[in-house]
Amino acid sequence: MLPATAKDALHRLSTYLEELEAGELKKFKLYLGIAEELGQDKIPRGRMEMAGPLEMAQLMVAHMGTKEAWLLALSTFERIHRKDLWERGQGEDLVRVTPSNGLCSLESQSTCLSDVSPDAPRKDPQITYKDYVRRKFRLMEDRNARLGECVNLSHRYTRLLLVKEHSNPIWAQQKLLETGWEHSRTRGHQASPIQMETLFEPDEERPEPPRTVVLQGAAGMGKSMLTHKVMLDWADGRLFQDQFDYVFYISCRELNRSHTQCSVHDLLSSCWPEHGAPLEDLIRAPDRLLFIIDGFHELHPSFHDVQGPWCHCWEEKRPTELLLGSLIRRLLLPQLSLLITTRPCALEKLHGLLEHPRHVEILGFSEAEREEYFYRYFHNTGQASQVFSFMRDYEPLFTMCFVPMVSWVVCTCLKQQLESGELLRQTSRTTTAVYMFYLLSLMQPKPGTPTFKVPANQRGLVSLAAEGLWNQKILFEEEDLGKHGLDGAEVSTFLNVNIFQKGIKCEKFYSFIHLSFQEFFTAMYCALHGREAVRRALAEYGFSERNFLAHTVRFLFGLLNEEMRCYLERNLGWTISPQVKEEALAWIQNKARSEGSTLQHGSLELLSCLYEIQEEDFIQQALSHFQVVVVRNLSTKMEHVVCSFCARYCRGTEVLHLYGSAYSTGAEDGPPEPPGAQTQSTHSQERNILPDIYSAYLSATICTNSNLIELALYRNALGSQGVRLLCQGLRHANCKLQNLRLKRCHISGSACQDLAAAIIANRNLIRLDLSGNSIGVLGLELLCEGLQHPMCRLQMIHFSSPCSSRELWMKNRTWPTLDPRLRKCLLEAAAGRALASVLSNNSHLVELDLTGNPLEDLGLKLLCQGLRHPVCRLRTLWLKICHLGQASCEDLASTLKMNQSLMELDLGLNDLGDSGALLLCEGLRHPDCKLQTLRLGICRLGSDACAGVASVLQVNTCLRELDLSFNDLGDRGLWLLGEGLRHQTCRLQKLWLDSCGLTSKACEDLSSVLGISQTLNELYLTNNALGDTGVRLLCKRLRHPGCKLRVLWLFGMDLNKVTHRRMAALRVTKPYLDIGC
């Protein structure tokens, strides 16, 4: 056996070699093969060719001894241009380890190696510690690593996406627990990216550097690997060099097993590589220290609920719970910096201990980082390229790889397929399938043996996992294994061994290689143990909100897949009773009965479970009860795929709504982009396009479900190919869809050609909503070819912006300019001509929404040519925020005189002015005008416009609804308007006067109107300064039995208690009266 010094030399040399890239290691071997220093004792080229870093280190030491091997390695590093390794190696003390002769074998090194001279100068303690950190964290073992196998952390590590989390910790915990396996994307204003280098730096919100950073992430997100990389990068001089002199790593898993009292002195000593740590020097500058506390969620509950007395002295010995609590609460060494990692489940408890921490969330791998990870995992570039191409084509599984743990599982499985000479196959469609394949691959015997190696006690492993999960326990002692009939050696493939120090002794504990595997085995326990176990899992998960069972339940459904069940029985001899599937189906059907015919609450989680089972009959039975299915907040591509997959089997569903939350930008998401950002935004949108399989599933849904009459997709980034696939279903003879809403779905102008063909072929479709899509004039022209076709039966079409006029006005309080946010469909003046042609040929079209498109006066003039055509039967026309002016009112007036079908006209948020309104009134007064609803909110109207409107009310018997909100009418305007409202010809039923500058004086006229009008039944006066006097005057009139008003809204007024009592008494007298205040 090698002495400590020889072991250390061999380990350090292999560590340095591990840092070489594959090409650099090849060059190293080449130079080594021609090195003159070796003379006749050159290492055989054949032995070097296949040797890895560890093998190369062993060969070099065996052929030339430790000192010569180290010196030759240093000179070779310089020759291959790795000066960083050469410079760092100069500080190593290995040159002082001298053998007794020039050459020695590995077997004789115990006598060849001599100790370092006691007179050698003592190294700087920081250098000593950094050397130790590099040795400790440089190499990592994969979870399935065999003895001696290790990987260079820097070669495997891939940068993770980190964001500063600003949301409420309780909300964040709930959100992340519900979506532990999905990717919680950056949520607009709630989070912003951050790099590891700036974790402890001030920003615009924090003028002072944060002393505590909480790094949160769901299971498998790479929290521990990230902290290990922080340690290594600090030791290598790449991170925190100007901030921290020392960085110490504390594992919460190890703290769990500490039953003795200790101090900070003891804690630092345990982190130091040798005796005699310079503790006094360290504590003298605590602001230059960083403690990494890894795995706060793994701490025993006693750590979370600990009470004082707290520790205030760094040499004071206390139980580890009190010591850690004192550090986190900053009662001990308050100048110390802390980096704490945790799962979201412990975030609320941790937050209660901290004061103003910086919260950072790990979102996993972006698509580019997934690719990088694949190439880092596979040293063979050809294999990496082959595997990545395979995964890119298989989108659902590739999407799941944003979780680093899943990337590792997938790469491990695919690598084993390649190494066994198999072709890559699409056997893993679900998370359960991935884990099952990995489980079986772990049991694979050596090549040539046809049978699997099944654990001796197959049910003991799953019962251990289940008992631990029920009790939220992840560390197991030997007696726990014995209780379930297990031996540590037998299940070492599935369990990690953890050695913890207890006093002068060491104790051994076990944990599953990852919590997700414990969840997987727990699901297997439920499946193997029949109805009662399944009933318990589903009941606790479904009704007590124990979210820690979410992944287990999904795995359970995946195991119920018939193919998976047979696979288990054939290969492992594990039998799942058919009654388990019956129990799961009964649970879903009970949920359906309790929810009624609408599936909305918990819909995504239920569909995720059904996706795992991948069986048509089961999914169809489970969803047969629901007539309406609504899924909100779809934030990942995988969630969309899950929903569309299950939608194919909703054969009784009539209405399907799928609301995305992360795949578009626009008016709701923030201010307009500067011109320089438009190209970047386009690329971002292209990356966010949903996979083709999503649209293909929806296409299959609408042509196989004859009951489906409404499909609404909101913020679903379909793209042109997605629309093409969807239109294939729309053209199918079995499609009975009547209402199709594709709001903000990244539909471009070119896709309108497919939509045009679809509305010609589908005679059932009567409503199409394309709001918020940048189709442009060219796209509109393509679509109009279909709208003009005699076979088209479309009645309603929407091209509006998703931002309402009132919302925009209330938010900005300024008059809108030609804002890019409003060009949602990019329909400008030329669009008027194309739409006019449609109105002149299509007698079926009755509703047209052009809100938020800058038609301007010219576009409206062209549109009116179609509106005046005898064929036009349009009843509803919305022209909000279309940048219309006085000229447009003249064209509309002439149109109203000729068009007797138009019943509703919305001109809100257009700069019409009094002059424009008076021109419009000329058309409204015409006897052939049949308009019933007119909306003129936020149109810059004053009191003069009211005189014109009053004249309309005195002659127009058709007008039923009038909206004049957000116009500066004033009391004089209302006095003029009252002349019309009191006229016997007036048939107005609803009147909106919100924010019109009215005072108590106006209430006299309103009271007079209410005393006379027998038709007005709804009056909206929100945000007017009517005062107590004015409101009481209205209440007095309302008490009169002859008053027909049924709705009076008075929100936004500061009224006293007496006035409120008057209104309360009025509600008692007239219970049907809706008074809003």
Side-chain angles (χ1 to χ4, degrees), residues 981-982 1003-1014 1016-1019 1021 1033-1035 1037-1038 1040 1042-1048:
L981 292 170
R982 288 188 292 268
C1003 293
E1004 297 175 8
D1005 295 296
L1006 287 171
S1007 179
S1008 173
V1009 169
L1010 295 177
I1012 296 174
S1013 175
Q1014 296 297 298
L1016 191 64
N1017 53 48
E1018 294 186 21
L1019 179 59
L1021 298 171
L1033 188 60
L1034 291 177
C1035 289
R1037 175 58 66 184
L1038 287 170
H1040 196 279
C1043 181
K1044 303 300 182 183
L1045 203 68
R1046 302 181 70 89
V1047 176
L1048 176 62

Side-chain angles (χ1 to χ4, degrees), residues 456-457 460-461 463 479-487 490:
N457 189 337
L461 191 66
S463 61
E479 63 182 69
D480 294 321
L481 272 64
K483 177 182 175 182
H484 294 272
L486 297 173
D487 180 81
E490 292 180 349

Side-chain angles (χ1 to χ4, degrees), residues 467-516:
E467 182 180 298
L469 198 65
W470 296 130
N471 298 304
Q472 301 188 53
K473 180 179 180 181
I474 62 173
L475 285 175
F476 305 94
E477 301 181 23
E478 298 244 13
E479 63 182 69
D480 294 321
L481 272 64
K483 177 182 175 182
H484 294 272
L486 297 173
D487 180 81
E490 292 180 349
V491 292
S492 59
T493 306
F494 308 102
L495 300 180
N496 280 332
V497 181
N498 306 276
I499 307 297
F500 299 105
Q501 189 169 359
K502 183 179 181 181
I504 61 173
K505 297 182 179 179
C506 290
E507 291 186 347
K508 183 185 295 185
F509 294 87
Y510 299 87
S511 64
F512 283 86
I513 55 178
H514 191 270
L515 178 59
S516 57

Side-chain angles (χ1 to χ4, degrees), residues 273-424:
E274 57 192 26
H275 293 295
L279 300 180
E280 295 289 346
D281 294 336
L282 297 181
I283 297 302
R284 194 173 292 119
D287 58 314
R288 301 288 296 176
L289 301 181
L290 170 64
F291 276 21
I292 298 177
I293 300 176
D294 185 24
F296 181 83
H297 60 278
E298 297 185 29
L299 289 171
H300 192 274
S302 63
F303 281 83
H304 299 155
D305 303 324
V306 64
Q307 301 296 325
W310 303 106
C311 181
H312 296 275
C313 176
W314 73 284
E315 292 183 309
E316 185 180 356
K317 290 184 179 291
R318 288 294 178 88
T320 51
E321 295 95 330
L322 286 173
L323 181 65
L324 188 63
S326 300
L327 285 170
I328 292 176
R329 292 172 182 265
R330 304 206 156 276
L331 301 173
L332 180 60
L333 299 178
Q335 299 92 346
L336 185 77
S337 293
L338 297 174
L339 175 60
I340 306 173
T341 71
T342 183
R343 284 192 187 179
C345 56
L347 201 58
E348 185 179 0
K349 291 180 179 178
L350 178 59
H351 186 74
L353 306 176
L354 302 174
E355 182 177 352
H356 307 306
R358 169 175 283 169
H359 283 279
V360 176
E361 181 182 359
I362 302 177
L363 298 187
F365 290 151
S366 66
E367 185 169 326
E369 288 157 348
R370 271 173 270 169
E371 180 178 6
E372 180 185 345
Y373 181 88
F374 276 65
Y375 276 84
R376 285 180 176 273
Y377 186 94
F378 292 92
H379 299 299
N380 185 307
T381 305
Q383 282 188 346
S385 179
Q386 181 184 359
V387 169
F388 184 73
S389 298
F390 170 78
M391 292 302 300
R392 281 293 301 270
D393 293 339
Y394 191 33
E395 204 279 338
L397 189 56
F398 181 65
T399 299
M400 289 194 294
C401 288
F402 81 87
V403 179
M405 176 65 185
V406 177
S407 284
W408 173 75
V409 171
V410 169
C411 286
T412 301
C413 296
L414 296 181
K415 183 179 181 182
Q416 289 168 352
Q417 286 188 30
L418 289 173
E419 289 178 347
S420 63
E422 299 180 43
L423 296 174
L424 297 178

Side-chain angles (χ1 to χ4, degrees), residues 18-19 21 137-140 151-158 229 232-233 236 238 376:
E18 278 281 355
E19 292 195 52
E21 300 289 347
F137 292 98
R138 178 78 67 199
L139 301 180
M140 56 170 281
V151 179
N152 188 296
L153 175 61
S154 296
H155 291 177
R156 174 66 60 82
Y157 178 80
T158 303
K229 189 64 165 61
L232 185 59
D233 283 353
D236 284 341
R238 292 194 291 264
R376 285 180 176 273

Side-chain angles (χ1 to χ4, degrees), residues 9 12-14 16 60-61 64-77 85-86 88-96:
R12 289 200 212 182
L13 182 55
S14 66
Y16 273 71
M60 292 176 69
V61 172
M64 65 191 76
T66 304
K67 178 179 179 180
E68 282 72 14
W70 181 249
L71 293 174
L72 181 57
L74 289 182
S75 65
T76 309
F77 290 150
L85 298 180
W86 178 82
R88 196 196 315 151
Q90 298 301 316
E92 297 282 1
D93 57 6
L94 295 180
V95 294
R96 293 186 291 275

